[in-house]
């Protein structure tokens, strides 16, 4: 009989899961921090950006999706678009669950804009993360 060797340390599945988890954490933290900074800026500016407030709040989602996809793809070193979209979809699902259960949010065109901006920026960040030439280890 032949023995089958299985290397559990360098598993492709565990690397993918690790990259998605780290990407989701980076995505969520970036969205949280940029939302706090942007809301403080909007509070200081007063009524100056009153008509554009909803659209300005898309900026944290775009930045978070990009950074989450970028970091996740850099860790995985392959499948950047899939990793970026996965991290963005997980953050989006958590935001939808919180929005619908806690705040009783309605489905509007802003929800569609949030979905598009988060997923598109995550995919672009994932593509950019894989195509980066320098080494990155976590």
């Amino acid at each position: 009989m032949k023995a089958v060797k299985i290397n559990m340390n360098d598993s492709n599945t565990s690397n993918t899961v690790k990259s998605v988890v780290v990407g989701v954490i980076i995505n969520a933290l970036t969205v949280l921090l940029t939302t706090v900074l942007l809301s403080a800026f909007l509070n200081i500016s007063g009524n100056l950006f009153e008509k554009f407030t909803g659209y300005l709040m898309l900026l944290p989602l775009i930045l978070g999706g990009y950074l989450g996809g970028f970091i996740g793809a850099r860790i995985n070193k392959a499948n950047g678009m899939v990793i970026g979209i996965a991290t963005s979809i997980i953050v989006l699902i958590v935001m939808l669950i919180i929005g619908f259960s806690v705040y009783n949010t309605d489905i509007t065109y802003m929800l569609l804009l949030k979905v598009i901006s988060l997923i598109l920026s995550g995919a672009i960040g994932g593509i950019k993360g894989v195509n980066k030439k320098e080494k990155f280890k976590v």
Side-chain angles (χ1 to χ4, degrees):
M1 277 177 125
K2 291 185 176 182
V4 178
K5 292 183 180 179
I6 299 174
N7 188 0
M8 297 299 286
N9 293 335
D10 196 23
S11 176
N12 191 21
T13 306
S14 67
N15 194 21
T16 304
V17 170
K18 181 173 99 171
S19 65
V20 169
V21 168
V22 170
V24 167
I25 291 170
I26 295 294
N27 191 338
L29 287 176
T30 305
V31 169
L32 179 69
L33 290 175
T34 54
T35 301
V36 168
L37 290 174
L38 187 61
S39 62
F41 170 73
L42 290 174
N43 192 17
I44 291 170
S45 68
N47 294 334
L48 187 61
F49 299 109
E50 186 176 352
K51 294 180 182 179
F52 304 109
T53 304
Y55 301 108
L56 283 176
M57 292 311 286
L58 291 174
L59 291 176
L61 294 176
I62 293 169
L63 187 62
Y66 182 81
L67 284 178
F70 185 84
I71 298 296
R74 293 284 289 156
I75 292 171
N76 196 32
K77 301 175 187 162
N79 300 329
M81 185 182 288
V82 175
I83 298 295
I85 290 174
T87 58
S88 295
I89 285 177
I90 292 171
V91 169
L92 181 68
I93 289 172
V94 169
M95 286 174 42
L96 287 176
I97 289 172
I98 291 171
F100 287 142
S101 63
V102 175
Y103 298 111
N104 198 11
T105 307
D106 295 330
I107 297 175
T108 61
Y109 74 95
M110 281 304 290
L111 180 63
L112 179 65
L113 287 176
K114 288 177 184 178
V115 168
I116 290 171
S117 64
L118 193 58
I119 291 176
L120 190 62
S121 65
I124 292 170
I127 293 169
K128 291 286 191 177
V130 167
N131 291 333
K132 189 80 173 159
K133 298 292 182 196
E134 297 150 7
K135 293 182 181 179
F136 183 76
K137 289 186 179 182
V138 172

